[in-house]
Amino acid sequence: GIQVEQSPPDLILQEGANSTLRCNFSDSVNNLQWFHQNPWGQLINLFYIPSGTKQNGRLSATTVATERYSLLYISSSQTTDSGVYFCAGPHSGNTPLVFGKGTRLSVIA
Amino acid sequence: GAVVSQHPSWVICKSGTSVKIECRSLDFQATTMFWYRQFPKQSLMLMATSNEGSKATYEQGVEKDKFLINHASLTLSTLTVTSAHPEDSSFYICSARAQSGQPQHFGDGTRLSIL
């Protein structure tokens, strides 16, 4: 099956700093989703981004489907951004999401 | 839109009992629902995929007789952990998708602790 690799595995940021998280896929994906899992375990859907670039406030994401990767940008980080960020993608439209191992982000004041 | 409700949020029970977890799509019809399991500090691992009215498809290594999945309607799927044991303690998360090729939406998860 498809393999999803995320980097870095862990990241510590000073509040206000910017960061880039990366997601690589071993094969083409039909679409791609980015999630933030908060300390209570809730998965917050950040982006559904099969290709191109999207922005939502301080977050933006870019997927280059032909090169099998996606990037998540966090600008002006806040302590509430702490948690685990997952990317996930299905191999085709009717297969389930396969998750990467996540990037554990800690933003310190 | 696209709200998925999962109940209960927490379950603590004795070893040997069975536990049922419900997953509902509140504002859309889900042709497919998925069940994932997440151990501490690990990623989400797919357990099974269920299509409404059909038998679930289980991932390799997941015991179908232990994890019973029912997807009787387009808005409800249930996962029953039968004869639960401490090693079944985990965080279980359901997900629903309206149509093939559309995003998956996730419930808030159920934290299961077996004593």
Side-chain angles (χ1 to χ4, degrees):
Chain A
I2 194 168
Q3 304 296 317
V4 182
E5 290 189 4
Q6 289 187 243
S7 60
D10 298 279
L11 185 60
I12 300 174
L13 294 177
Q14 195 75 36
E15 195 171 29
N18 303 327
S19 64
T20 301
L21 281 56
R22 186 178 178 102
C23 180
N24 290 333
F25 290 87
S26 61
D27 202 347
S28 60
V29 291
N30 180 261
N31 66 60
L32 189 146
Q33 291 181 245
W34 281 98
F35 299 90
H36 174 216
Q37 188 170 39
N38 64 25
W40 298 272
Q42 293 173 315
L43 271 179
I44 310 301
N45 190 12
L46 299 176
F47 293 101
Y48 170 72
I49 183 167
S51 63
T53 298
K54 290 186 178 180
Q55 181 154 7
N56 184 3
R58 295 181 296 103
L59 302 180
S60 64
T62 295
T63 296
V64 183
T66 53
E67 297 186 23
R68 303 174 187 172
Y69 75 88
S70 184
L71 302 173
L72 177 70
Y73 306 95
I74 304 174
S75 64
S76 303
S77 59
Q78 300 176 359
T79 55
T80 51
D81 294 333
S82 297
V84 184
Y85 289 80
F86 289 104
C87 68
H91 183 53
S92 65
N94 63 351
T95 56
L97 287 177
V98 175
F99 282 76
K101 292 185 177 181
T103 292
R104 188 171 300 273
L105 174 65
S106 297
V107 181
I108 55 177
Chain B
V3 178
V4 176
S5 174
Q6 187 174 341
H7 291 282
S9 300
W10 287 81
V11 179
I12 301 174
C13 59
K14 293 181 179 180
S15 182
T17 58
S18 294
V19 179
K20 180 185 281 189
I21 302 170
E22 288 190 352
C23 180
R24 295 181 185 272
S25 56
L26 297 186
D27 53 359
F28 67 100
Q29 293 187 323
T31 57
T32 309
M33 287 189 172
F34 309 90
W35 288 94
Y36 291 81
R37 180 169 53 185
Q38 185 181 31
F39 291 107
K41 298 191 183 301
Q42 294 189 21
S43 186
L44 281 75
M45 299 301 296
L46 180 69
M47 298 176 66
T49 300
S50 72
N51 291 296
E52 184 263 339
S54 303
K55 288 185 178 180
T57 302
Y58 290 81
E59 295 300 299
Q60 192 172 10
V62 178
E63 300 174 57
K64 63 179 181 180
D65 293 331
K66 181 165 189 63
F67 299 99
L68 301 180
I69 292 172
N70 183 279
H71 190 171
S73 78
L74 285 171
T75 58
L76 174 64
S77 177
T78 60
L79 168 67
T80 301
V81 184
T82 61
S83 188
H85 291 285
E87 58 266 28
D88 299 322
S89 299
S90 189
F91 190 56
Y92 293 86
I93 309 175
C94 74
S95 175
R97 184 181 68 195
Q99 300 282 353
S100 175
Q102 294 187 354
Q104 285 182 222
H105 303 283
F106 286 79
D108 286 344
T110 297
R111 203 164 298 280
L112 175 62
S113 296
I114 309 297
L115 305 177

